[in-house]
C-alpha cells in the first residue's frame, strides 16, 4: 500500500518561490528581448522626412502620413507610434490573448516605440500634387499598426490616410464623443461592418476631408483606395460605392486581401445594414 503525505508548509513556500522566480525570469527575459524593438527601418524614398497629422472623417479617426519639409529651427516632436500609448498596445495584446493571460507587458514596448515621423510637420510643396492612398486596416488592426509601411510610402511621395474604423473591428479606437471602443467584432453584422468601413473610407477621400495644406489634388484626382486583409473587401466595396459620391477613385492597392471575408459585400452594396 502507499502512504500519501500532505505537503509541509516549507514545501508550499518552496513551490510558491519557485513559481515566482520562474515568472520573474520570464518577465525579465521578455523585457531584455524587446530592448530597442521594433527597429526603425531607414527610409528608401527621395523624401527623407515624414510628417503625421490626425483628423476625423465622419466618425472615424484618421492618421495621415506625408512627405514633410522641416523648418530650419526644428522644434517639432516625434509622433507616437501608438497614438493612445498603452491603451493601443493593450488592445493589440488583447487581440492575441496576451491580456487575458496577464501578459499585456509583452507588447507594452510598442507604446513607447519610435515612429520616425514628425507630428504636425509642414508638408512639402512639390510642383505637382502627390497621389493619395486611403487605407483600411485589417480585422483587429488600427491606424497605427502599419506605421512603418505608411512611412515608407510617404518617403516615396504618397500621402497615406490610415482610417481607424468604428465598426468594432479595430483593436482599440477612441470615438468622436471621447469614449473608448475596444475590439468588438460582433457589434455589427458582417454586411454592416463592411458598409461602415467603406463609408468611412469614402468620407476620408472626399476632397478637403483631411484638412488644408496637404500636397494632394484639390479636386480628388489621384486618389487610391487600399487596405490590408479585411480592409481589402472594404476598399473594393468603397470603390463600387464611389460612383455616386464626389470621390474619384484612380485605382486600388490591396495588401493580402481577405477575400474570403467578403460575404457581406452583396448585402452591403445593396444598402444592407443589419445588426
Amino acid at each position: 500500500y502507499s502512504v500519501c503525505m500532505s505537503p509541509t508548509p516549507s514545501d508550499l513556500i518552496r513551490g510558491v518561490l519557485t513559481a515566482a522566480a520562474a515568472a520573474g525570469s520570464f518577465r525579465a527575459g521578455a523585457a531584455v528581448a524587446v530592448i530597442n524593438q521594433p527597429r526603425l527601418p531607414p527610409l528608401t524614398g527621395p523624401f527623407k522626412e515624414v510628417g503625421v497629422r490626425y483628423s476625423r472623417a465622419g466618425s472615424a479617426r484618421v492618421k495621415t502620413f506625408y512627405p514633410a519639409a522641416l523648418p530650419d529651427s526644428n522644434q517639432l516632436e516625434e509622433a507616437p507610434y501608438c497614438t493612445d500609448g498603452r491603451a493601443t498596445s493593450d488592445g493589440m495584446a488583447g487581440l492575441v490573448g496576451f491580456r487575458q493571460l496577464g501578459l499585456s507587458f509583452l507588447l507594452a514596448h510598442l507604446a513607447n516605440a519610435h515612429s520616425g515621423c514628425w507630428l504636425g510637420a509642414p508638408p512639402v510643396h512639390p510642383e505637382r500634387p502627390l497621389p493619395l492612398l486611403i487605407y483600411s486596416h485589417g480585422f483587429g488592426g488600427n491606424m497605427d499598426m502599419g506605421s512603418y509601411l505608411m512611412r515608407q510610402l510617404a518617403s516615396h511621395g504618397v500621402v497615406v490616410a490610415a482610417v481607424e474604423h468604428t465598426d468594432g473591428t479595430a483593436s482599440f479606437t477612441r470615438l468622436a464623443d471621447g469614449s473608448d471602443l475596444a475590439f468588438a467584432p460582433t457589434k455589427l453584422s458582417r454586411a454592416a461592418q463592411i458598409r461602415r468601413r467603406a463609408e468611412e473610407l469614402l468620407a476620408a477621400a472626399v476632397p478637403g476631408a483631411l484638412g488644408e495644406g496637404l500636397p494632394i489634388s484639390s479636386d480628388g484626382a489621384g486618389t487610391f483606395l487600399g487596405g490590408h486583409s479585411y480592409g481589402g473587401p472594404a476598399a473594393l466595396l468603397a470603390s463600387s460605392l464611389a460612383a455616386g459620391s464626389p470621390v474619384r477613385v484612380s485605382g486600388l492597392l490591396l495588401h493580402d486581401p481577405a477575400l474570403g471575408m467578403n460575404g457581406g459585400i452583396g448585402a452591403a452594396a445593396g444598402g444592407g445594414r443589419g445588426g
Side-chain angles (χ1 to χ4, degrees), residues 218-234:
S218 60
D219 63 1
T223 298
F224 295 79
L225 301 178
H228 168 245
S229 189
Y230 196 31

Side-chain angles (χ1 to χ4, degrees), residues 50-274:
V50 174
V52 159
R53 64 166 61 170
Y54 294 96
S55 60
R56 283 194 183 272
S59 58
R61 294 198 297 186
V62 182
K63 186 176 185 179
T64 302
F65 301 77
Y66 54 89
L70 297 187
D72 292 336
S73 59
N74 180 20
Q75 296 182 348
L76 297 171
E77 63 178 295
E78 186 179 19
Y81 179 84
C82 286
T83 299
D84 300 303
R86 279 296 297 266
T88 301
S89 65
D90 285 353
M92 292 188 281
L95 182 69
V96 296
F98 287 169
R99 185 175 61 201
Q100 295 86 334
L101 296 173
L103 301 175
S104 292
F105 65 89
L106 290 175
L107 295 185
H109 64 289
L110 296 177
N112 300 311
H114 289 288
S115 70
C117 302
W118 299 103
L119 184 62
V124 297
H125 294 288
E127 294 181 2
R128 298 180 181 179
L130 299 178
L132 170 64
L133 172 63
I134 310 295
Y135 198 83
S136 174
H137 62 72
F139 193 79
N142 54 56
M143 63 184 177
D144 299 317
M145 273 188 172
S147 287
Y148 288 171
L149 171 62
M150 309 311 173
R151 178 174 173 265
Q152 289 290 357
L153 291 173
S155 81
H156 286 272
V158 180
V159 176
V160 186
V163 178
E164 191 167 75
H165 294 295
T166 64
D167 62 331
T169 61
S171 60
F172 173 88
T173 190
R174 188 153 287 152
L175 303 177
D177 63 3
S179 63
D180 295 340
L181 177 62
F183 184 58
T186 59
K187 178 176 183 284
L188 300 175
S189 68
R190 182 61 54 83
Q193 281 179 355
I194 297 181
R195 181 80 184 200
R196 173 80 65 85
R197 283 168 153 261
E199 290 174 345
E200 289 173 344
L201 290 177
L202 292 177
V206 171
L210 301 177
E212 302 296 326
L214 290 172
I216 55 178
S217 174
S218 60
D219 63 1
T223 298
F224 295 79
L225 301 178
H228 168 245
S229 189
Y230 196 31
L236 286 169
L237 177 58
S239 68
S240 71
L241 298 177
S245 76
V247 176
R248 300 166 58 185
V249 179
S250 297
L252 294 170
L253 177 63
L254 306 182
H255 173 203
D256 193 19
L259 299 180
M261 298 179 71
N262 67 359
I265 279 187
R273 299 170 185 263

Side-chain angles (χ1 to χ4, degrees), residues 23-49:
S25 298
F26 173 73
R27 184 156 190 152
V32 171
V34 299
I35 291 175
N36 295 324
Q37 297 292 338
R39 295 182 181 177
L40 186 67
L43 293 176
T44 58
F47 297 99
K48 298 307 180 183
E49 304 292 349

